[in-house]
Amino acid sequence: MTSSGARVIVTTHNEDGTSVFHSDNVVEPFSPFGPGGSSFSVFDARSTVPVNNQEGPKDLQKILPRVPPAGVTFCITNMAPHHSAPMHRTLSLDYAVVLSGEIVLGLDDGEEKTVKAGDFIVQQGVNHTWHNRTDEVCRIAFVMVGAEKVKLADGQELEETVFKK
């Protein structure tokens, strides 16, 4: 799969409180499922919200995007052409925007929606799958916010069902 790195510019403050640039780097994609699968670039992850804006950025290359229970993660996924991600649930509220290409979002009730470049998704801890049924890479940006488990009327709590690399 051909997908380029993503340029990430990070700002901070100097000792007297003046705004300054901390870094300007290209984050290369991590492909834990091989060259024909999805790749990921995690730009920032914080363990709690509200965040500490004086905390320096961490090296988050070569990790799967996972959000801490009370935290937030900012990342992109590049879904290879004709590739699917298995059904899974994360314990997060995910804000997403398709940056390029298109993707089919499937839910465990069997319903599917095609999401195209420029479309937005608010995903609330649901069991879901992704299918790229095109010949183009689909790039999706995510902000993932740690969330409570979904609790059903009978008291059952829905658990995380993330796939492993």
Side-chain angles (χ1 to χ4, degrees):
M1 174 176 79
T2 304
S3 61
S4 60
R7 181 180 179 204
V8 180
I9 300 165
V10 178
T11 61
T12 192
H13 301 91
N14 68 12
E15 291 175 6
D16 70 4
T18 302
S19 302
V20 296
F21 290 105
H22 176 275
S23 58
D24 182 348
N25 297 310
V26 173
V27 177
E28 293 300 332
F30 170 52
S31 301
F33 306 108
S38 299
S39 68
F40 308 93
S41 297
V42 178
F43 306 133
D44 193 53
R46 305 297 174 106
S47 58
T48 60
V49 174
V51 302
N52 176 349
N53 273 333
Q54 294 177 293
E55 182 180 292
K58 301 169 187 73
D59 180 9
L60 300 169
Q61 294 191 39
K62 300 195 184 303
I63 66 167
L64 287 171
R66 296 290 182 264
V67 64
V72 62
T73 297
F74 178 38
C75 62
I76 59 170
T77 296
N78 296 298
M79 181 71 72
H82 307 287
H83 180 73
S84 294
M87 189 68 70
H88 62 285
R89 173 186 295 109
T90 56
L91 297 180
S92 57
L93 169 64
D94 300 345
Y95 299 110
V97 59
V98 176
L99 300 174
S100 62
E102 70 179 47
I103 196 82
V104 176
L105 172 59
L107 303 181
D108 58 10
D109 70 353
E111 189 170 359
E112 294 183 341
K113 298 246 182 217
T114 299
V115 187
K116 298 181 179 189
D119 291 344
F120 299 85
I121 304 163
V122 177
Q123 190 163 259
Q124 300 182 110
V126 298
N127 220 14
H128 64 284
T129 187
W130 301 103
H131 305 285
N132 183 345
R133 297 181 176 143
T134 74
D135 295 328
E136 305 291 325
V137 171
C138 178
R139 179 173 271 194
I140 309 168
F142 289 92
V143 174
M144 304 166 68
V145 181
E148 298 173 357
K149 292 179 182 177
V150 173
K151 192 171 191 177
L152 304 179
D154 66 3
Q156 176 187 359
E157 292 182 333
L158 300 180
E159 299 291 334
E160 184 175 61
T161 59
V162 298
F163 50 90
K164 307 268 190 272
K165 67 175 188 165

